Amino acid sequence: MFNNYCKSCSKSIKYGMIKRNGRPIFPERRISLCEGSFIYIMTVEIFTDGACSGNPGPGGYGVILRAGEHTKELSGGDKMTTNNRMELSGVIAGLSALKYPCDVILTTDSKYVVDSVTKGWAASWRRNGWKKADKKPALNADLWETLLELLDKHNVKFVWVKGHAGHPENERCDALAVMERDKAAASR
């Protein structure tokens, strides 16, 4: 656990961190707060993919988290869902797994997710009571609300990659998503 106190406001700042020989073993950046106080922000790579059979139908998502030399895989599924819900669920699962605010490089093959965040569409839908510019309801508002809250906590850079194009982490996430989709289909 990393403890520090802001010298100006005396607030305690606590962040968990794995250290080796007293040094953080994850890539990090140091952020200065008030006079002389600082925290380390860990950099995490997250890769996600979603899969669905039928759309709607059984679906799954796969996630890889990587921080330095550490890697973790997550996956989940649903018996009746859509591909976009699974893409969003993967991103949410990855960001929700982070215990502390992080710098995140999030790689996905979902233009729906990347464009909705980076072009400000999701934030606009929320401001407009989950209505799109054409006044139709925004789909997946429940998941967008959760994702926007997580994006307020972390500094996330979105990277789009073409799906099924040989990107190793995207291919692994796809395999996890398909495995979960197939499990969900078998349990119907």
Side-chain angles (χ1 to χ4, degrees):
M1 182 67 72
F2 175 82
N3 293 300
N4 201 359
Y5 294 89
C6 175
K7 291 179 181 168
S8 294
C9 62
S10 300
K11 287 184 182 174
S12 174
I13 303 160
K14 298 180 182 180
Y15 285 86
M17 185 170 300
I18 297 175
K19 294 184 178 184
R20 184 176 295 141
N21 298 328
R23 294 180 46 105
I25 62 172
F26 297 118
E28 79 283 330
R29 69 183 165 103
R30 182 174 161 164
I31 296 182
S32 295
L33 298 174
C34 302
E35 289 179 35
S37 296
F38 62 90
I39 57 174
Y40 285 101
I41 302 294
M42 185 174 19
T43 299
V44 178
E45 293 177 285
I46 299 177
F47 305 88
T48 69
D49 196 20
C52 193
S53 181
N55 208 27
Y61 64 83
V63 181
I64 299 171
L65 293 101
R66 183 182 303 141
E69 58 196 44
H70 302 278
T71 301
K72 181 176 184 175
E73 293 182 348
L74 306 171
S75 61
D78 198 338
K79 293 177 188 178
M80 186 56 67
T81 189
T82 64
N83 192 71
N84 284 342
R85 285 190 72 80
M86 290 295 94
E87 296 284 0
L88 281 165
S89 294
V91 173
I92 290 167
L95 291 172
S96 295
L98 304 175
K99 296 178 183 174
Y100 307 100
C102 295
D103 286 339
V104 178
I105 302 167
L106 196 145
T107 303
T108 180
D109 63 5
S110 173
K111 277 291 206 181
Y112 173 65
V113 172
V114 173
D115 287 350
S116 295
V117 173
T118 62
K119 294 182 178 184
W121 300 341
S124 176
W125 300 335
R126 180 169 61 180
R127 271 193 314 276
N128 295 324
W130 298 108
K131 300 269 190 249
K132 298 187 300 183
D134 62 6
K135 304 298 182 209
K136 293 181 182 174
L139 300 177
N140 307 312
D142 57 331
L143 297 177
W144 283 115
E145 183 67 43
T146 301
L147 178 54
L148 291 173
E149 289 172 12
L150 288 165
L151 293 176
D152 288 340
K153 182 178 178 183
H154 304 287
N155 179 33
V156 181
K157 176 186 175 189
F158 282 86
V159 177
W160 178 80
V161 295
K162 183 176 169 82
H164 309 286
H167 186 283
E169 291 86 358
N170 182 257
E171 296 293 335
R172 177 62 185 150
C173 288
D174 181 64
L176 292 168
V178 168
M179 177 189 69
E180 290 291 342
R181 179 201 65 199
D182 292 347
K183 275 201 282 189
S187 68
R188 284 174 63 172

